[in-house]
Amino acid sequence: MQAFAFVFPGQGSQSVGMLDAWGDHPVVLEALQEASEALGEDVARLIKDGPKEDLALTTNTQPVMLVAGVAAYRAWMAETGAAPSAVAGHSLGEYSALVAAGVLTLAQAAPLVRFRAQAMQDAVPVGVGAMAAILGLDAAKVIEGCAEVANEFAGVADEVVEAVNFNDPLQTVIAGSKDAVDRACVVLKAKGAKRALPLPVSAPFHSSLMKPAAIRLRERLQAIEFLPTQIPLINNMDVAVELDPDRMRDALYRQAFGPVRWVECIRALKARGLSTVVECGPGKVLLGTFKRIDPELTGIALSDPASLAELKNLFTGAA
């Protein structure tokens, strides 16, 4: 079997009924039960019935995306036993990758990501912060434009805008205070951006405004036991594989208010000889980034039994 990597999506790929296609797959049901017990609520019902507005709440989105990614991964492992050669996750998806790598159990990770979500929402009131996707502009120019706007707002408390998600060479997400983000959208379009799209999020994730949330998260992380890594995990913050639990905790702490270096993460997988990358979980939001980052990469989605069967056939020759 050829070597491959698994990566896990973060917020934005959730949808009501996103696990329906798995039916009564025992491993998926087991993952839902484990998460439900850890959170003290029926996660399966939330995913199946929603409503959409509840699923979109950050405190719900983060746990449900975690369990959905882990469930798909466990279904793959149950049917093939073929572990990836490395894993990574985009933002919240890094927690799914930690479970896949054996560092955290799902029972540990589910309440942890809910705590993370609540801390993030508490850090900046709804409507005060904002995020926007900048399309068609080199990341260096996005950083430059954000710096110019930051200088315009110099001396104004909590008015910041920063590049926070480097999704592909020509797609960078910015975040910060609403006024500064709005101004940056104007500046960046003047610099040549094709589009500047406000994102429907409730907080300026990965910006420095999340530092209060990160401090709370760091305290929570200290109380959680990290198990030895079974699969190399390339983290968002340093684009590094860490084995020391304290360094892993520190990277997760800094990730809460630091940028997601996704382009570099994918290139790091390629540098390890992994030219096939599987997006594991609902949706295909990461799939499109692979070819834009490196045309030689092959991207595949694993989100339901049909795609699992296709993946098995591709890798093993037996559906």
Side-chain angles (χ1 to χ4, degrees):
M1 180 179 291
Q2 62 179 292
F4 57 94
F6 266 47
V7 298
F8 297 86
Q11 290 186 227
S13 295
Q14 70 278 357
S15 62
V16 175
M18 61 186 174
L19 294 182
D20 286 357
W22 290 105
D24 59 357
H25 194 294
V27 171
V28 173
L29 294 180
E30 182 182 88
L32 288 166
Q33 182 63 28
E34 186 177 342
S36 295
E37 290 176 0
L39 293 170
E41 68 175 272
D42 190 343
V43 175
R45 182 175 180 179
L46 174 63
I47 293 173
K48 182 175 180 58
D49 298 333
K52 179 180 178 181
E53 294 75 19
D54 287 354
L55 210 61
L57 293 172
T58 296
T59 50
N60 288 331
T61 304
Q62 295 201 21
V64 300
M65 282 302 299
L66 167 80
V67 71
V70 170
Y73 179 77
R74 287 183 175 178
W76 165 260
M77 290 300 296
E79 296 196 22
T80 69
S85 297
V87 294
H90 188 284
S91 185
L92 164 70
E94 189 163 303
Y95 288 81
S96 302
L98 285 163
V99 177
V103 177
L104 297 175
T105 65
L106 181 55
Q108 288 175 311
L112 176 61
V113 299
R114 170 155 285 171
F115 179 88
R116 176 181 184 265
Q118 189 62 61
M120 287 178 161
Q121 194 59 75
D122 291 346
V124 180
V126 175
V128 173
M131 300 181 77
I134 308 303
L135 309 181
L137 190 64
D138 181 81
K141 291 186 178 180
V142 176
I143 294 171
E144 178 185 283
C146 287
E148 289 178 13
V149 174
N151 284 334
E152 289 183 24
F153 284 93
V156 183
D158 295 328
E159 289 290 349
V160 300
V161 60
E162 299 150 351
V164 298
N165 289 358
F166 297 95
N167 290 335
D168 71 39
L170 295 176
Q171 183 193 119
T172 303
V173 174
I174 62 174
S177 56
K178 187 177 187 309
D179 287 348
V181 169
D182 288 347
R183 174 60 181 154
C185 288
V186 174
V187 168
L188 293 169
K189 282 196 279 190
K191 285 182 174 291
K194 291 182 179 179
R195 302 183 75 184
L197 302 175
L199 299 179
V201 296
S202 58
F205 302 118
H206 298 290
S207 75
S208 57
L209 296 179
M210 292 287 102
K211 187 68 177 287
I215 292 171
R216 292 175 60 190
L217 178 63
R218 179 171 57 183
E219 294 175 358
R220 183 67 173 257
L221 286 166
Q222 290 302 319
I224 295 176
E225 179 186 7
F226 279 37
L227 300 172
T229 305
Q230 298 172 13
I231 302 170
L233 187 157
I234 297 172
N235 69 31
N236 290 173
M237 199 61 218
D238 303 311
V239 195
V241 176
E242 298 289 2
L243 299 178
D244 178 74
D246 286 338
R247 291 178 66 87
M248 295 174 76
R249 291 185 186 96
D250 182 63
L252 291 171
Y253 153 70
R254 289 181 290 119
Q255 188 225 45
F257 64 95
V260 173
R261 298 163 61 185
W262 190 244
V263 172
E264 293 171 89
C265 287
I266 295 300
R267 287 175 176 164
L269 292 172
K270 174 73 178 306
R272 297 175 78 92
L274 303 173
S275 59
T276 299
V277 184
V278 178
E279 178 176 4
C280 185
K284 298 180 180 180
V285 68
L286 299 180
L287 205 59
T289 69
F290 302 154
K291 287 285 188 183
R292 294 195 292 271
I293 292 170
D294 189 324
E296 295 182 355
L297 290 174
T298 297
I300 308 168
L302 169 57
S303 59
D304 55 28
S307 56
L308 190 153
E310 291 176 9
L311 199 58
K312 282 172 64 177
N313 187 53
L314 176 67
F315 284 158
T316 69

